[in-house]
Every structure is written in C-alpha cells, then in structure tokens.
Amino acid sequence: MAELEYDGFTPEEAAVINRLDRSRLPRHLAVIMDGNGRWATQRSLPRVLGHHAGVETVRFMITACHSLGIPYLTLYSFSTENWKRPEAEVQALMALIEGQLRNELVTMDRKGVYVRHLGRREGLPDSLLQTLDDCEAQTRHNTALTLSFAINYSGRAELLDAVKRLARAGHDAASLTEEDITGAMYLPAHPDPDLVIRTAGEMRMSNFMLWEAAYAEFWSTPAFWPEFRAPQLLAALEEYLRRTRKYGGVTS
Ligand code: FPP
C-alpha cells in the first residue's frame, strides 16, 4: 500500500500509522480530557493556564482525527459537576471555550468539520449558546469530522432528560425499547463511541456517555491533557486494534 503522509504527524509517526489496519480504526473516539490543573500546578502556574495549554491538544486532536479519517470525535469539556469549581475558573473556562470556538470556526468549517454541542443548554451563558448555535449552523453540511463538545454534560443528566422526553411524548413504559432511549439522547444519530481515552492516569468514566459507551474500549495514559500528542494517540490506537471486541458474546 502507498505510504501516506498525515497532517499533524511526523514522517516517523506516519510510518507507524501506515502499518496500522486503518480500516479498523475507531469510528467514534471520545475523550475525557484530564490533568490541565495538575499540569499547571506542577509548573507553579495558575490552573487556568493549564486549560489554555490544553487547547493546543484539542487542536492536535482535531487535526489528527481529521487526517486519520476518524469521523466522530467527542471531547468532555465541561461536566455538570464542574460548576462546583471556583467561580473564576468556571468563568475562565467558559470564556476560553467560547473564544476558541469563535477563533477556529472558519478553519474548522474549511476542513469540513461539523461542530456540535452535547449537553444541557440551561445554565450556560447566552453568548456561549449563541456561539455554539452559530458553529452548528455554519458547519452542519460538513461531513469529514463530526466534532462534539460535551459542555454542561453528564451521562446521568442525559439519561434523565431522555426519560423525561419519552414520558412527555406519552411513550408506553411496557413497550419501551433500547432504540427508543437511544433515539431520545442528545445526539441520537451519532454512532456509539468505540474507544474512550482518558488522560492524567485516571481510570473512571466520571459520568461520561454512560449509555453510549456501554461497549466502548477504555484506554488511559498517565500524560496530562496538555502533554497528550501523537505518541499517546498512536499507542491508544495500536492497543485498540489489539483488543477483541466481543459485545458480551464469544470469539469464533
Ligand atoms: C480537565 O482538567 C479539563 C477540563 C475540565 C476542561 C477541559 C477544557 C479545555 C482543554 C479547553 C477546551 C477548549 C475547547 C475549545 C473545548 P482538570 O482541570 O480537571 O485537571 P486536574 O484534574 O488536574 O485538576
């Protein structure tokens, strides 16, 4: 097969990618970005600078998934539990996310990225909601990569909202199916995540895509989110390709 080059990767990394079975890469990669605060604290910097450094990794991941042909990327950017953080950090995070979305919109659109919001709207600043709506409206015809930002998101809140939606629609409990619940999720048309990556050495799901990630493979790295780059991503993908996914069945 021809040796291909990949945007965002060195020639050596591209050689690793060219040895992978690219037809079996995850369709949907979901990421629990963790360790921005610890990265900053280790360097005697304010925590917020860790989030700023984390934006570079977000950029890397968008470029990397785009060039690898991974069609869905979901990033856990702000959980419903994150409101418990100091107000200044919450405000800084909201402003950072909004500013980045505004700055990168044209580039993302040009690359064919469809930008979506995953989460509850209530509680988010109006200006951020407007930015998310603008991103979604401008990029909705793009098909290269669907990039979802989980903001004000938790898996339990999503399930609760789905149950409420079904109840409001008058669904009969006795005939309810798993497909009905999937259909009532925030982004029902997206395939389930195949691989969940978490940084900073943590091994928890932390209320992330509890319904959708039921059969996802999980991979964790000690690297803090601002340190996560091609070596970690390629290690995750190589490990993913070594796993046998059985979905509760047996391998033949
Ligand atoms: C986790 O680190 C990180 C977050 C909760 C926020 C992630 C947000 C960004 C990287 C910026 C996102 C930018 C866009 C465009 C979405 P932590 O603060 O929990 O780290 P700690 O566990 O070490 O304290």
Side-chain angles (χ1 to χ4, degrees):
M1 202 187 282
E3 290 291 296
L4 301 172
E5 290 177 14
Y6 295 91
D7 199 14
F9 295 96
T10 64
E12 293 73 28
E13 289 156 359
V16 174
I17 297 166
N18 279 309
R19 286 197 294 274
L20 300 177
D21 179 355
R22 296 194 301 283
S23 68
R24 289 176 48 240
L25 286 177
R27 274 189 82 206
H28 186 169
L29 178 55
V31 185
I32 305 175
M33 308 185 282
D34 201 2
N36 290 349
R38 277 166 279 175
W39 181 89
T41 305
Q42 244 185 21
R43 287 159 181 76
S44 307
L45 296 169
R47 289 176 53 82
V48 166
L49 289 191
H51 300 313
H52 280 262
V55 168
E56 289 308 313
T57 311
V58 171
R59 269 207 201 98
F60 160 74
M61 283 299 277
I62 298 168
T63 306
C65 288
H66 185 268
S67 72
L68 287 169
I70 292 174
Y72 291 86
L73 172 65
T74 300
L75 300 173
Y76 203 5
S77 309
F78 191 89
S79 74
T80 52
E81 287 80 22
N82 285 156
W83 294 109
K84 289 186 281 202
R85 293 186 175 207
E87 201 184 325
E89 182 174 342
V90 170
Q91 276 181 9
L93 263 171
M94 293 293 154
L96 180 64
I97 294 171
E98 184 181 330
Q100 286 303 316
L101 289 172
R102 284 259 168 241
N103 287 343
E104 300 294 330
L105 175 55
V106 171
T107 313
M108 290 191 289
D109 190 26
R110 215 176 279 143
K111 276 178 166 237
V113 178
Y114 179 17
V115 182
R116 309 206 69 183
H117 172 222
L118 175 73
R120 277 189 180 156
R121 293 176 66 88
E122 307 79 63
L124 288 175
D126 288 342
S127 58
L128 175 56
L129 289 173
Q130 188 60 57
T131 302
L132 288 163
D133 290 346
D134 291 347
C135 286
E136 181 140 358
Q138 187 168 331
T139 63
R140 62 199 305 258
H141 301 294
N142 293 336
T143 54
L145 170 68
T146 299
L147 170 65
S148 307
F149 291 101
I151 305 169
N152 198 20
Y153 175 86
S154 85
R156 286 187 175 186
E158 183 180 30
L159 271 167
L160 179 61
D161 289 349
V163 170
K164 285 183 179 174
R165 192 169 304 151
L166 291 166
R168 272 198 307 271
H171 259 276
D172 169 33
S175 62
L176 206 58
T177 63
E178 289 193 3
E179 287 70 31
D180 292 329
I181 296 177
T182 298
M185 291 284 152
Y186 295 143
L187 299 174
H190 291 193
D192 287 342
D194 301 293
L195 174 63
V196 174
I197 291 178
R198 182 165 188 158
T199 55
E202 307 296 348
M203 303 279 184
R204 292 181 293 280
M205 286 302 285
S206 294
N207 217 345
F208 185 49
M209 303 194 91
L210 299 179
W211 179 262
E212 300 89 334
Y215 282 102
E217 297 295 323
F218 185 83
W219 188 85
S220 171
T221 172
F224 295 137
W225 179 246
E227 300 165 333
F228 187 98
R229 286 293 185 280
Q232 290 79 20
L233 177 59
L234 294 183
L237 294 176
E238 285 179 307
E239 167 69 22
Y240 171 81
L241 291 172
R242 278 195 293 273
R243 304 238 184 118
T244 306
R245 302 183 73 192
K246 296 190 297 181
Y247 301 94
V250 291
T251 40
S252 48

